């Protein structure tokens, strides 16, 4: 996926999870943060960030915060981007794919995608990953009861005869492995392992990132 009208800035502060103060060309702007996660290791004062100029007079904020530099990594932190990237990735990588439909309800969950491939129906849930530690990608960066619920219902889908996949879109390059973040939310890690044991396919894919694009690239080793 691509963005237009990208401008650089310097992160100053994040008063709440929805907005950030960013220096753009010497002016302090209030910007929308397109990720409600903690992102504490990313949004540190002085960090180089990239923003999309939305130029919409009806909006309260002119800019959306899209990406941030962390050391030598450029990390996309747009929480809406992984589903767009996942659609491109699934279309290109699932053999025999004949149908890919977003936002489909099953049971008490609404999964990101329903698909049909080689006559087999299935469901895919997508999670964006922005947390990295020494080349290890981790999810989640905060407890996610919703994520545990999705895994439990993917298990139910598998037991009902559907294919089921949890797809982690790692919004950066430079990682070699992916693991659940047991230190932050052990229940999610336990649920992910139960899902894998139940036949839910677990995939992790890194991305090529530029200030104005995010593209799925290569599979990353999963360490459960």
């Amino acid at each position: 996926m691509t963005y237009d009208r990208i401008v650089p800035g310097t992160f100053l502060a994040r008063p709440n999870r929805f907005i950030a103060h960013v220096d753009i060309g010497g002016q302090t702007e209030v910007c929308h943060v397109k990720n409600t996660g903690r992102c504490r290791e990313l949004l540190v004062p002085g960090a180089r960030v990239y923003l999309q100029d939305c130029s919409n007079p009806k909006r309260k904020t002119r800019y959306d915060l899209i990406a941030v530099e962390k050391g030598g990594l450029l990390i996309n932190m747009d929480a809406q981007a992984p589903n767009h990237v996942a659609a491109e990735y699934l279309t290109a990588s699932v053999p025999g794919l004949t149908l890919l439909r977003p936002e489909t309800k099953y049971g008490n969950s609404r999964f990101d995608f329903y698909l049909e491939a080689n006559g087999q129906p299935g469901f895919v849930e997508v999670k964006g990953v922005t947390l990295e530690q020494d080349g290890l990608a981790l999810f989640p960066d905060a407890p996610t009861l919703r994520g545990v619920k999705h895994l439990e219902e993917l298990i139910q889908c598998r037991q009902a005869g559907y294919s089921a996949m949890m797809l982690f879109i790692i919004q950066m390059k430079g990682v070699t492995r992916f693991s659940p973040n047991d230190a932050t939310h052990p229940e999610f890690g336990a649920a992910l392992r139960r899902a894998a044991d139940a036949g839910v396919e677990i995939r992790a894919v890194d991305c090529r990132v530029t200030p104005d694009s995010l593209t799925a690239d290569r599979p990353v080793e999963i360490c459960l």
Side-chain angles (χ1 to χ4, degrees), residues 45-61:
R48 183 74 160 178
V49 293
Y50 296 90
L51 309 104
Q52 184 175 35
D53 185 347
C54 297
S55 299
N56 184 344
K58 296 182 180 180
R59 286 176 44 127
K60 293 182 179 179
T61 56

Side-chain angles (χ1 to χ4, degrees), residues 144-190:
T144 171
L145 296 177
R146 184 169 178 265
V148 173
K149 176 174 176 284
H150 278 139
L151 284 167
E152 297 292 355
E153 295 203 336
L154 283 173
I155 292 171
Q156 294 176 24
C157 291
R158 193 72 190 93
Q159 292 170 342
Y162 293 91
S163 69
M165 181 193 301
M166 176 65 84
L167 174 59
F168 294 97
I169 298 293
I170 301 171
Q171 295 169 253
M172 69 191 88
K173 291 293 292 183
V175 299
T176 58
R177 296 167 295 136
F178 166 84
S179 288
N181 192 355
D182 292 309
T184 294
H185 195 190
E187 292 82 3
F188 181 85

Side-chain angles (χ1 to χ4, degrees), residues 10-23 28-39 43 49 51 59-66 77:
T10 302
F11 176 79
L12 301 175
R14 188 181 186 182
N16 61 53
R17 61 181 183 159
F18 300 107
I19 63 170
H21 294 165
V22 178
D23 182 295
T28 298
E29 297 280 353
V30 178
C31 306
H32 174 56
V33 179
K34 298 187 73 176
N35 191 318
T36 57
R38 291 176 179 174
C39 303
L43 296 180
V49 293
L51 309 104
R59 286 176 44 127
K60 293 182 179 179
T61 56
R62 175 176 173 178
Y63 298 96
D64 285 339
L65 200 160
I66 298 298
M77 54 176 292

